[in-house]
Amino acid sequence: MEDTKPSVATSGGTDGDAVEARFNALCKNGLSLDEKACSNAMKLFKETKHLLTSNVSSIGSGTLEEAERFWFSFVLYSLKRLSEKIGENTQQESDESGFSFCQILRATKLNIVDFFKELPQFVVKAGPVLRNMSYKRAFWELFLTSDANIDKQQNATSLPDYVSECHRFGWLLFLALRVHAFSRFKDLVTCANGFVSILVILIIHVPVRFRNFKINDSPHFVKKGDKGVDLLASLCNMYDASEDDLRKTMETANKLIEDILKKKPCPAAECKTETLENIDTDSLIYFEGLMEEKSLSSSLNMLEKDYDNAICNKGDLDERVFVNDEDSLLGLGSFSGGAMSVTGIKRKFDSVASPSKSISSPLSPQRPPASHANGVLGPPSAKMAATPVSAAMTTAKWLRSVI
């Protein structure tokens, strides 16, 4: 059984409150963040605090104090990266109360090498939370969360349900992309392109009355031409995506809509609909009735069934829980008995990070073998100076064992 070190209490306990207070003090006093930045940081910390509580022993040296400092730095670093260049207005606000990576390290008393050595644990454990928060924030920036902008003559009572279903539709379509189109190793760049492609599809299909922006004068859509707003270029500018890669991802996403939802594609330039007004429709594909309220429910059922079939035999995390804030699986407390510890992941990462652990660098100075007091040479396991050939052979052996 794994040796457990002291861990912070669950979010409802006194110790848990003390951890939150220390993190809040770091944000306000250590980094001088304003109220908005502190609130965003605390939100992300609360979303991932249960992961800290269940993995204290595997972070750094395993002490509570050091685990906290690492986790604080991971949260702040993630917040910094997620908030970079969301748009001109948000970028300006971020700069006014901004903080740098080096400031994070100084405030948490960590060095660069230790930080990046431990960071993969956070990415593995908190990755689904970060992906969900990024998509959710982008969605609510573009679509309504209330009926404030809906004509009072309309029946707005269905607005929250419809917009929530649109949110769920987008997330399920993204999961379909991950399952069917992305490689086994789903890197962050590929996932980001997937998110942006889903936003494009939602923007051109969700009725205009549910938008949280006006296409012509929104700071989000700054790339314009003679034919209107260049939607793909504007979103790539917002989210630092590659336009060429995004177009390829869009083709894949559109093909999934054909195959899974059985919708017929149509060149957007040939379609006359309010959602496409003032948008450059070249290279865009439109699906008639894709986001109509009467058909949205059946589309959701099809995506649900497709995802069920894809993951039922794999034992993977069901990431649909991340569109349901009420899901008990997202509880704020620490994981119970069956929780997976990061220790094994950390050991595996350490073992595959570099073959240099088993052989010294060819550029390192040669060292004489250690000897015992009686003049006998050191043990056979003592390292020998590497040559270019031995380094290449060792690396090849390491690579084969990893694969």
Side-chain angles (χ1 to χ4, degrees):
M1 180 178 293
E2 181 182 334
D3 182 30
T4 57
K5 302 277 196 314
S7 63
V8 289
T10 58
S11 58
T14 303
D15 290 344
D17 294 339
V19 175
E20 289 187 15
R22 288 192 288 272
F23 179 72
N24 190 52
L26 174 68
C27 294
K28 291 185 176 180
N29 304 326
L31 294 172
S32 301
L33 303 186
D34 61 18
E35 288 298 326
K36 182 178 180 181
C38 281
S39 176
N40 290 335
M42 185 57 72
K43 180 179 179 181
L44 178 54
F45 178 73
K46 288 182 177 180
E47 289 279 348
T48 61
K49 188 177 68 172
H50 62 287
L51 301 174
L52 166 62
T53 64
S54 56
N55 291 287
V56 168
S57 62
S58 62
I59 301 173
S61 62
T63 64
L64 173 58
E65 186 271 337
E66 187 175 54
E68 278 188 17
R69 288 191 288 113
F70 272 113
W71 207 264
F72 292 172
S73 68
F74 297 153
V75 169
L76 290 166
Y77 177 74
S78 300
L79 180 72
K80 177 68 176 175
R81 296 304 301 269
L82 287 172
S83 62
E84 285 177 352
K85 201 170 182 182
I86 298 302
E88 292 182 0
N89 288 348
T90 49
Q91 177 65 36
Q92 182 178 358
E93 291 174 6
S94 177
D95 288 343
E96 291 175 358
S97 61
F99 54 96
S100 69
F101 175 47
C102 288
Q103 286 176 307
I104 296 173
L105 293 179
R106 291 191 181 100
T108 53
K109 300 178 181 178
L110 297 171
N111 63 58
I112 295 174
V113 174
D114 289 341
F115 175 86
F116 282 109
K117 182 180 178 181
E118 300 289 337
L119 181 62
Q121 296 190 74
F122 181 79
V123 173
V124 168
K125 298 297 288 183
V129 177
L130 296 174
R131 285 199 299 268
N132 174 58
M133 290 184 70
S134 178
Y135 171 70
K136 186 177 292 185
R137 180 179 60 185
F139 180 87
W140 294 120
E141 281 181 351
L142 297 173
F143 299 100
L144 294 176
T145 57
S146 70
D147 60 354
N149 297 332
I150 302 297
D151 183 14
K152 300 303 181 182
Q153 299 290 329
Q154 299 176 6
N155 179 14
T157 57
S158 63
L159 171 66
D161 290 338
Y162 175 75
V163 177
S164 295
E165 285 190 334
C166 290
H167 179 228
R168 186 171 186 83
F169 175 89
W171 182 251
L172 288 173
L173 189 56
F174 169 73
L175 294 182
L177 265 177
R178 292 183 71 244
V179 168
H180 297 293
F182 296 167
S183 66
R184 181 180 178 185
F185 302 101
K186 303 161 182 69
D187 61 276
L188 187 58
V189 174
T190 303
C191 288
N193 287 330
F195 280 139
V196 178
S197 68
I198 301 304
L199 289 177
V200 173
I201 292 171
L202 291 176
I203 288 171
I204 65 177
H205 288 92
V206 173
V208 172
R209 66 181 184 275
F210 296 113
R211 288 178 179 172
N212 204 24
F213 62 89
K214 293 182 179 179
I215 195 73
N216 273 338
D217 56 8
S218 170
H220 295 298
F221 306 104
V222 295
K223 303 293 184 179
K224 301 178 182 179
D226 296 336
K227 297 182 180 180
V229 169
D230 189 331
L231 198 56
L232 270 62
S234 294
L235 290 174
C236 284
N237 179 66
M238 287 172 61
Y239 300 109
D240 288 323
S242 164
E243 193 169 340
D244 290 338
D245 291 342
L246 177 59
R247 291 187 185 279
K248 295 176 183 177
T249 308
M250 285 292 305
E251 292 176 4
T252 306
N254 289 331
K255 188 66 169 61
L256 284 176
I257 293 175
E258 286 186 65
D259 295 341
I260 299 176
L261 302 180
K262 311 302 180 186
K263 297 291 184 180
K264 184 178 179 181
C266 175
E270 300 176 8
C271 302
K272 300 297 181 182
T273 175
E274 187 182 16
T275 59
L276 295 172
E277 290 180 2
N278 301 312
I279 292 177
D280 184 349
T281 54
D282 287 352
S283 77
L284 293 180
I285 296 297
Y286 185 79
F287 295 91
E288 188 71 34
L290 179 65
M291 303 302 294
E292 286 184 358
E293 294 183 62
K294 60 183 180 182
S295 65
L296 187 56
S297 179
S298 62
S299 294
L300 286 171
N301 289 335
M302 292 179 190
L303 289 171
E304 295 269 12
K305 183 178 180 180
D306 177 79
Y307 189 71
D308 278 331
N309 292 336
I311 71 164
C312 65
N313 294 322
K314 294 184 178 180
D316 292 343
L317 171 68
D318 187 337
E319 291 184 284
R320 288 173 295 186
V321 299
F322 292 106
V323 290
N324 184 8
D325 293 332
E326 304 301 322
D327 200 300
S328 60
L329 292 180
L330 296 177
L332 295 177
S334 62
F335 287 156
S336 55
M340 179 180 70
S341 172
V342 183
T343 307
I345 296 172
K346 179 183 177 184
R347 282 197 297 267
K348 183 173 288 187
F349 174 79
D350 286 342
S351 67
V352 304
S354 171
S356 63
K357 291 185 179 296
S358 59
I359 189 167
S360 59
S361 169
L363 301 179
S364 301
Q366 296 190 16
R367 297 179 181 177
S371 61
H372 293 296
N374 59 5
V376 178
L377 290 178
S381 61
K383 284 187 178 179
M384 297 179 63
T387 67
V389 174
S390 64
M393 295 297 290
T394 302
T395 300
K397 180 180 179 182
W398 166 82
L399 185 59
R400 284 195 300 272
S401 67
V402 171
I403 292 175

